[in-house]
PDB file of all heavy atoms in Angstrom:
ATOM      1  N   ILE R  35      18.701 -10.701  -2.849  1.00 93.00           N
ATOM      2  CA  ILE R  35      17.777 -11.662  -2.162  1.00 93.00           C
ATOM      3  C   ILE R  35      16.348 -11.137  -2.302  1.00 93.00           C
ATOM      4  O   ILE R  35      16.120  -9.976  -2.116  1.00 93.00           O
ATOM      5  CB  ILE R  35      18.131 -11.838  -0.725  1.00 93.00           C
ATOM      6  CG1 ILE R  35      19.575 -12.327  -0.541  1.00 93.00           C
ATOM      7  CG2 ILE R  35      17.174 -12.717  -0.007  1.00 93.00           C
ATOM      8  CD1 ILE R  35      20.092 -12.300   0.885  1.00 93.00           C
ATOM      9  N   THR R  36      15.417 -12.027  -2.743  1.00 91.00           N
ATOM     10  CA  THR R  36      14.045 -11.645  -2.882  1.00 91.00           C
ATOM     11  C   THR R  36      13.197 -12.383  -1.812  1.00 91.00           C
ATOM     12  O   THR R  36      13.394 -13.608  -1.707  1.00 91.00           O
ATOM     13  CB  THR R  36      13.434 -12.006  -4.224  1.00 91.00           C
ATOM     14  OG1 THR R  36      14.279 -11.241  -5.290  1.00 91.00           O
ATOM     15  CG2 THR R  36      11.970 -11.636  -4.431  1.00 91.00           C
ATOM     16  N   LEU R  37      12.543 -11.595  -0.953  1.00 95.00           N
ATOM     17  CA  LEU R  37      11.700 -12.154   0.053  1.00 95.00           C
ATOM     18  C   LEU R  37      10.249 -11.877  -0.278  1.00 95.00           C
ATOM     19  O   LEU R  37       9.914 -10.801  -0.810  1.00 95.00           O
ATOM     20  CB  LEU R  37      12.060 -11.553   1.408  1.00 95.00           C
ATOM     21  CG  LEU R  37      13.452 -11.605   1.816  1.00 95.00           C
ATOM     22  CD1 LEU R  37      13.784 -10.712   2.997  1.00 95.00           C
ATOM     23  CD2 LEU R  37      13.910 -13.037   2.138  1.00 95.00           C
ATOM     24  N   ARG R  38       9.363 -12.811  -0.098  1.00 96.00           N
ATOM     25  CA  ARG R  38       7.955 -12.636  -0.304  1.00 96.00           C
ATOM     26  C   ARG R  38       7.173 -12.977   0.944  1.00 96.00           C
ATOM     27  O   ARG R  38       7.487 -13.873   1.719  1.00 96.00           O
ATOM     28  CB  ARG R  38       7.479 -13.552  -1.435  1.00 96.00           C
ATOM     29  CG  ARG R  38       8.136 -13.248  -2.741  1.00 96.00           C
ATOM     30  CD  ARG R  38       7.732 -14.145  -3.833  1.00 96.00           C
ATOM     31  NE  ARG R  38       8.596 -14.079  -5.066  1.00 96.00           N
ATOM     32  CZ  ARG R  38       8.310 -13.123  -6.059  1.00 96.00           C
ATOM     33  NH1 ARG R  38       7.306 -12.385  -5.924  1.00 96.00           N
ATOM     34  NH2 ARG R  38       9.085 -13.038  -7.114  1.00 96.00           N
ATOM     35  N   HIS R  39       6.094 -12.186   1.165  1.00 96.00           N
ATOM     36  CA  HIS R  39       5.163 -12.524   2.216  1.00 96.00           C
ATOM     37  C   HIS R  39       3.881 -11.846   1.929  1.00 96.00           C
ATOM     38  O   HIS R  39       3.790 -11.026   0.989  1.00 96.00           O
ATOM     39  CB  HIS R  39       5.766 -12.088   3.609  1.00 96.00           C
ATOM     40  CG  HIS R  39       5.711 -10.658   3.875  1.00 96.00           C
ATOM     41  ND1 HIS R  39       6.617  -9.741   3.313  1.00 96.00           N
ATOM     42  CD2 HIS R  39       4.918  -9.853   4.645  1.00 96.00           C
ATOM     43  CE1 HIS R  39       6.433  -8.542   3.777  1.00 96.00           C
ATOM     44  NE2 HIS R  39       5.352  -8.547   4.509  1.00 96.00           N
ATOM     45  N   GLU R  40       2.842 -12.185   2.732  1.00 97.00           N
ATOM     46  CA  GLU R  40       1.494 -11.622   2.554  1.00 97.00           C
ATOM     47  C   GLU R  40       1.094 -10.980   3.839  1.00 97.00           C
ATOM     48  O   GLU R  40       1.423 -11.467   4.879  1.00 97.00           O
ATOM     49  CB  GLU R  40       0.520 -12.724   2.089  1.00 97.00           C
ATOM     50  CG  GLU R  40       0.839 -13.338   0.729  1.00 97.00           C
ATOM     51  CD  GLU R  40      -0.180 -14.387   0.404  1.00 97.00           C
ATOM     52  OE1 GLU R  40      -0.792 -14.901   1.311  1.00 97.00           O
ATOM     53  OE2 GLU R  40      -0.186 -14.733  -0.778  1.00 97.00           O
ATOM     54  N   VAL R  41       0.304  -9.941   3.679  1.00 96.00           N
ATOM     55  CA  VAL R  41      -0.224  -9.138   4.871  1.00 96.00           C
ATOM     56  C   VAL R  41      -1.708  -9.219   4.690  1.00 96.00           C
ATOM     57  O   VAL R  41      -2.185  -8.743   3.622  1.00 96.00           O
ATOM     58  CB  VAL R  41       0.301  -7.736   4.999  1.00 96.00           C
ATOM     59  CG1 VAL R  41      -0.390  -7.037   6.111  1.00 96.00           C
ATOM     60  CG2 VAL R  41       1.803  -7.781   5.130  1.00 96.00           C
ATOM     61  N   PRO R  42      -2.492  -9.807   5.582  1.00 97.00           N
ATOM     62  CA  PRO R  42      -3.943  -9.750   5.435  1.00 97.00           C
ATOM     63  C   PRO R  42      -4.471  -8.348   5.776  1.00 97.00           C
ATOM     64  O   PRO R  42      -4.056  -7.728   6.689  1.00 97.00           O
ATOM     65  CB  PRO R  42      -4.452 -10.761   6.519  1.00 97.00           C
ATOM     66  CG  PRO R  42      -3.280 -10.902   7.441  1.00 97.00           C
ATOM     67  CD  PRO R  42      -2.073 -10.564   6.784  1.00 97.00           C
ATOM     68  N   MET R  43      -5.343  -7.881   4.898  1.00 96.00           N
ATOM     69  CA  MET R  43      -5.920  -6.588   4.972  1.00 96.00           C
ATOM     70  C   MET R  43      -7.381  -6.633   4.617  1.00 96.00           C
ATOM     71  O   MET R  43      -7.734  -7.376   3.673  1.00 96.00           O
ATOM     72  CB  MET R  43      -5.236  -5.566   4.080  1.00 96.00           C
ATOM     73  CG  MET R  43      -3.826  -5.214   4.482  1.00 96.00           C
ATOM     74  SD  MET R  43      -3.223  -3.876   3.340  1.00 96.00           S
ATOM     75  CE  MET R  43      -1.514  -4.008   3.682  1.00 96.00           C
ATOM     76  N   THR R  44      -8.243  -5.728   5.214  1.00 96.00           N
ATOM     77  CA  THR R  44      -9.602  -5.637   4.626  1.00 96.00           C
ATOM     78  C   THR R  44      -9.494  -4.585   3.567  1.00 96.00           C
ATOM     79  O   THR R  44      -8.421  -3.863   3.313  1.00 96.00           O
ATOM     80  CB  THR R  44     -10.479  -4.995   5.794  1.00 96.00           C
ATOM     81  OG1 THR R  44     -10.030  -3.768   6.186  1.00 96.00           O
ATOM     82  CG2 THR R  44     -10.553  -5.947   7.005  1.00 96.00           C
ATOM     83  N   ALA R  45     -10.597  -4.377   2.889  1.00 95.00           N
ATOM     84  CA  ALA R  45     -10.660  -3.352   1.752  1.00 95.00           C
ATOM     85  C   ALA R  45     -10.300  -2.007   2.266  1.00 95.00           C
ATOM     86  O   ALA R  45      -9.553  -1.269   1.721  1.00 95.00           O
ATOM     87  CB  ALA R  45     -11.967  -3.418   1.099  1.00 95.00           C
ATOM     88  N   GLY R  46     -10.862  -1.616   3.405  1.00 94.00           N
ATOM     89  CA  GLY R  46     -10.539  -0.382   4.001  1.00 94.00           C
ATOM     90  C   GLY R  46      -9.113  -0.166   4.415  1.00 94.00           C
ATOM     91  O   GLY R  46      -8.521   0.904   4.193  1.00 94.00           O
ATOM     92  N   GLU R  47      -8.495  -1.140   4.952  1.00 95.00           N
ATOM     93  CA  GLU R  47      -7.090  -1.152   5.291  1.00 95.00           C
ATOM     94  C   GLU R  47      -6.160  -1.064   4.097  1.00 95.00           C
ATOM     95  O   GLU R  47      -5.238  -0.247   4.043  1.00 95.00           O
ATOM     96  CB  GLU R  47      -6.674  -2.391   6.078  1.00 95.00           C
ATOM     97  CG  GLU R  47      -7.299  -2.406   7.504  1.00 95.00           C
ATOM     98  CD  GLU R  47      -7.109  -3.730   8.202  1.00 95.00           C
ATOM     99  OE1 GLU R  47      -6.962  -4.733   7.543  1.00 95.00           O
ATOM    100  OE2 GLU R  47      -7.126  -3.787   9.388  1.00 95.00           O
ATOM    101  N   PHE R  48      -6.566  -1.713   3.007  1.00 95.00           N
ATOM    102  CA  PHE R  48      -5.802  -1.662   1.756  1.00 95.00           C
ATOM    103  C   PHE R  48      -5.950  -0.292   1.183  1.00 95.00           C
ATOM    104  O   PHE R  48      -4.956   0.330   0.711  1.00 95.00           O
ATOM    105  CB  PHE R  48      -6.338  -2.697   0.741  1.00 95.00           C
ATOM    106  CG  PHE R  48      -5.570  -2.748  -0.548  1.00 95.00           C
ATOM    107  CD1 PHE R  48      -4.301  -3.283  -0.557  1.00 95.00           C
ATOM    108  CD2 PHE R  48      -6.139  -2.165  -1.641  1.00 95.00           C
ATOM    109  CE1 PHE R  48      -3.644  -3.320  -1.822  1.00 95.00           C
ATOM    110  CE2 PHE R  48      -5.462  -2.190  -2.920  1.00 95.00           C
ATOM    111  CZ  PHE R  48      -4.162  -2.764  -2.897  1.00 95.00           C
ATOM    112  N   MET R  49      -7.137   0.324   1.154  1.00 94.00           N
ATOM    113  CA  MET R  49      -7.308   1.692   0.670  1.00 94.00           C
ATOM    114  C   MET R  49      -6.517   2.627   1.470  1.00 94.00           C
ATOM    115  O   MET R  49      -5.843   3.514   0.891  1.00 94.00           O
ATOM    116  CB  MET R  49      -8.852   2.069   0.773  1.00 94.00           C
ATOM    117  CG  MET R  49      -9.170   3.359   0.202  1.00 94.00           C
ATOM    118  SD  MET R  49      -9.464   3.348  -1.570  1.00 94.00           S
ATOM    119  CE  MET R  49     -10.996   2.521  -1.672  1.00 94.00           C
ATOM    120  N   GLY R  50      -6.480   2.460   2.766  1.00 94.00           N
ATOM    121  CA  GLY R  50      -5.604   3.336   3.601  1.00 94.00           C
ATOM    122  C   GLY R  50      -4.190   3.179   3.269  1.00 94.00           C
ATOM    123  O   GLY R  50      -3.451   4.251   3.202  1.00 94.00           O
ATOM    124  N   MET R  51      -3.699   1.999   3.047  1.00 93.00           N
ATOM    125  CA  MET R  51      -2.294   1.735   2.676  1.00 93.00           C
ATOM    126  C   MET R  51      -1.971   2.456   1.341  1.00 93.00           C
ATOM    127  O   MET R  51      -0.904   3.095   1.221  1.00 93.00           O
ATOM    128  CB  MET R  51      -2.055   0.270   2.628  1.00 93.00           C
ATOM    129  CG  MET R  51      -0.571  -0.178   2.328  1.00 93.00           C
ATOM    130  SD  MET R  51      -0.096  -0.345   0.597  1.00 93.00           S
ATOM    131  CE  MET R  51      -1.413  -1.497  -0.046  1.00 93.00           C
ATOM    132  N   VAL R  52      -2.808   2.343   0.443  1.00 92.00           N
ATOM    133  CA  VAL R  52      -2.586   2.964  -0.887  1.00 92.00           C
ATOM    134  C   VAL R  52      -2.346   4.473  -0.715  1.00 92.00           C
ATOM    135  O   VAL R  52      -1.390   4.995  -1.436  1.00 92.00           O
ATOM    136  CB  VAL R  52      -3.757   2.629  -1.898  1.00 92.00           C
ATOM    137  CG1 VAL R  52      -3.656   3.575  -3.103  1.00 92.00           C
ATOM    138  CG2 VAL R  52      -3.766   1.249  -2.228  1.00 92.00           C
ATOM    139  N   PHE R  53      -3.151   5.112   0.087  1.00 91.00           N
ATOM    140  CA  PHE R  53      -3.076   6.547   0.189  1.00 91.00           C
ATOM    141  C   PHE R  53      -1.947   7.042   1.167  1.00 91.00           C
ATOM    142  O   PHE R  53      -1.772   8.200   1.441  1.00 91.00           O
ATOM    143  CB  PHE R  53      -4.449   7.145   0.655  1.00 91.00           C
ATOM    144  CG  PHE R  53      -5.359   7.230  -0.560  1.00 91.00           C
ATOM    145  CD1 PHE R  53      -6.031   6.071  -0.912  1.00 91.00           C
ATOM    146  CD2 PHE R  53      -5.442   8.323  -1.266  1.00 91.00           C
ATOM    147  CE1 PHE R  53      -6.882   6.086  -2.053  1.00 91.00           C
ATOM    148  CE2 PHE R  53      -6.307   8.399  -2.370  1.00 91.00           C
ATOM    149  CZ  PHE R  53      -7.018   7.307  -2.785  1.00 91.00           C
ATOM    150  N   THR R  54      -1.035   6.143   1.584  1.00 91.00           N
ATOM    151  CA  THR R  54       0.119   6.536   2.282  1.00 91.00           C
ATOM    152  C   THR R  54       1.280   6.645   1.368  1.00 91.00           C
ATOM    153  O   THR R  54       2.267   7.322   1.721  1.00 91.00           O
ATOM    154  CB  THR R  54       0.544   5.514   3.407  1.00 91.00           C
ATOM    155  OG1 THR R  54       0.914   4.214   2.750  1.00 91.00           O
ATOM    156  CG2 THR R  54      -0.566   5.234   4.419  1.00 91.00           C
ATOM    157  N   ALA R  55       1.219   6.237   0.183  1.00 85.00           N
ATOM    158  CA  ALA R  55       2.291   6.281  -0.879  1.00 85.00           C
ATOM    159  C   ALA R  55       2.462   7.779  -1.248  1.00 85.00           C
ATOM    160  O   ALA R  55       1.512   8.484  -1.533  1.00 85.00           O
ATOM    161  CB  ALA R  55       2.065   5.451  -2.002  1.00 85.00           C
ATOM    162  N   SER R  56       3.722   8.262  -1.377  1.00 81.00           N
ATOM    163  CA  SER R  56       3.920   9.629  -1.752  1.00 81.00           C
ATOM    164  C   SER R  56       3.422  10.015  -3.124  1.00 81.00           C
ATOM    165  O   SER R  56       2.921  11.124  -3.391  1.00 81.00           O
ATOM    166  CB  SER R  56       5.437   9.959  -1.650  1.00 81.00           C
ATOM    167  OG  SER R  56       6.151   9.162  -2.576  1.00 81.00           O
ATOM    168  N   TYR R  57       3.450   9.014  -4.059  1.00 80.00           N
ATOM    169  CA  TYR R  57       2.972   9.321  -5.384  1.00 80.00           C
ATOM    170  C   TYR R  57       1.393   9.393  -5.468  1.00 80.00           C
ATOM    171  O   TYR R  57       0.858   9.720  -6.508  1.00 80.00           O
ATOM    172  CB  TYR R  57       3.435   8.273  -6.399  1.00 80.00           C
ATOM    173  CG  TYR R  57       3.194   6.833  -6.044  1.00 80.00           C
ATOM    174  CD1 TYR R  57       2.054   6.226  -6.224  1.00 80.00           C
ATOM    175  CD2 TYR R  57       4.302   6.131  -5.485  1.00 80.00           C
ATOM    176  CE1 TYR R  57       1.808   4.885  -5.867  1.00 80.00           C
ATOM    177  CE2 TYR R  57       4.163   4.754  -5.128  1.00 80.00           C
ATOM    178  CZ  TYR R  57       2.885   4.154  -5.308  1.00 80.00           C
ATOM    179  OH  TYR R  57       2.771   2.901  -4.982  1.00 80.00           O
ATOM    180  N   VAL R  58       0.728   9.159  -4.364  1.00 86.00           N
ATOM    181  CA  VAL R  58      -0.672   9.341  -4.191  1.00 86.00           C
ATOM    182  C   VAL R  58      -1.018  10.522  -3.262  1.00 86.00           C
ATOM    183  O   VAL R  58      -1.511  11.521  -3.701  1.00 86.00           O
ATOM    184  CB  VAL R  58      -1.381   8.067  -3.662  1.00 86.00           C
ATOM    185  CG1 VAL R  58      -2.909   8.302  -3.366  1.00 86.00           C
ATOM    186  CG2 VAL R  58      -1.269   6.910  -4.695  1.00 86.00           C
ATOM    187  N   ARG R  59      -0.540  10.402  -2.108  1.00 83.00           N
ATOM    188  CA  ARG R  59      -0.790  11.385  -0.998  1.00 83.00           C
ATOM    189  C   ARG R  59      -0.227  12.733  -1.413  1.00 83.00           C
ATOM    190  O   ARG R  59      -0.966  13.760  -1.268  1.00 83.00           O
ATOM    191  CB  ARG R  59      -0.169  10.925   0.324  1.00 83.00           C
ATOM    192  CG  ARG R  59      -0.425  11.817   1.545  1.00 83.00           C
ATOM    193  CD  ARG R  59       0.222  11.313   2.736  1.00 83.00           C
ATOM    194  NE  ARG R  59       1.442  10.578   2.614  1.00 83.00           N
ATOM    195  CZ  ARG R  59       2.698  11.116   2.403  1.00 83.00           C
ATOM    196  NH1 ARG R  59       2.825  12.379   2.436  1.00 83.00           N
ATOM    197  NH2 ARG R  59       3.725  10.336   2.321  1.00 83.00           N
ATOM    198  N   ALA R  60       1.013  12.823  -1.772  1.00 83.00           N
ATOM    199  CA  ALA R  60       1.636  14.150  -2.029  1.00 83.00           C
ATOM    200  C   ALA R  60       1.566  14.615  -3.472  1.00 83.00           C
ATOM    201  O   ALA R  60       1.567  15.819  -3.710  1.00 83.00           O
ATOM    202  CB  ALA R  60       3.122  14.106  -1.563  1.00 83.00           C
ATOM    203  N   ALA R  61       1.392  13.687  -4.397  1.00 83.00           N
ATOM    204  CA  ALA R  61       1.473  14.079  -5.817  1.00 83.00           C
ATOM    205  C   ALA R  61       0.180  14.371  -6.414  1.00 83.00           C
ATOM    206  O   ALA R  61       0.142  15.004  -7.478  1.00 83.00           O
ATOM    207  CB  ALA R  61       2.341  13.115  -6.568  1.00 83.00           C
ATOM    208  N   LEU R  62      -0.894  13.800  -5.901  1.00 88.00           N
ATOM    209  CA  LEU R  62      -2.166  13.899  -6.512  1.00 88.00           C
ATOM    210  C   LEU R  62      -2.991  14.980  -5.889  1.00 88.00           C
ATOM    211  O   LEU R  62      -2.938  15.176  -4.671  1.00 88.00           O
ATOM    212  CB  LEU R  62      -2.981  12.627  -6.537  1.00 88.00           C
ATOM    213  CG  LEU R  62      -2.338  11.349  -7.182  1.00 88.00           C
ATOM    214  CD1 LEU R  62      -3.257  10.199  -7.077  1.00 88.00           C
ATOM    215  CD2 LEU R  62      -1.990  11.748  -8.646  1.00 88.00           C
ATOM    216  N   THR R  63      -3.717  15.720  -6.652  1.00 89.00           N
ATOM    217  CA  THR R  63      -4.636  16.785  -6.094  1.00 89.00           C
ATOM    218  C   THR R  63      -5.733  16.068  -5.397  1.00 89.00           C
ATOM    219  O   THR R  63      -6.045  14.859  -5.590  1.00 89.00           O
ATOM    220  CB  THR R  63      -5.233  17.680  -7.235  1.00 89.00           C
ATOM    221  OG1 THR R  63      -6.110  16.775  -8.013  1.00 89.00           O
ATOM    222  CG2 THR R  63      -4.113  18.282  -8.108  1.00 89.00           C
TER     223      THR R  63
END
């Protein structure tokens, strides 16, 4: 089953979300 939705974010909130991903936060210097 595929579900789709949208979450409203400001640029700052989006930037913060990106940096919670392990392939960014833990893997990048």
Side-chain angles (χ1 to χ4, degrees):
I35 300 169
T36 301
L37 306 169
R38 296 175 189 276
H39 73 284
E40 294 179 341
V41 175
M43 292 185 196
T44 64
E47 291 167 336
F48 183 76
M49 183 83 71
M51 184 268 309
V52 168
F53 281 82
T54 65
S56 62
Y57 51 82
V58 172
R59 180 181 34 81
L62 299 182
T63 67

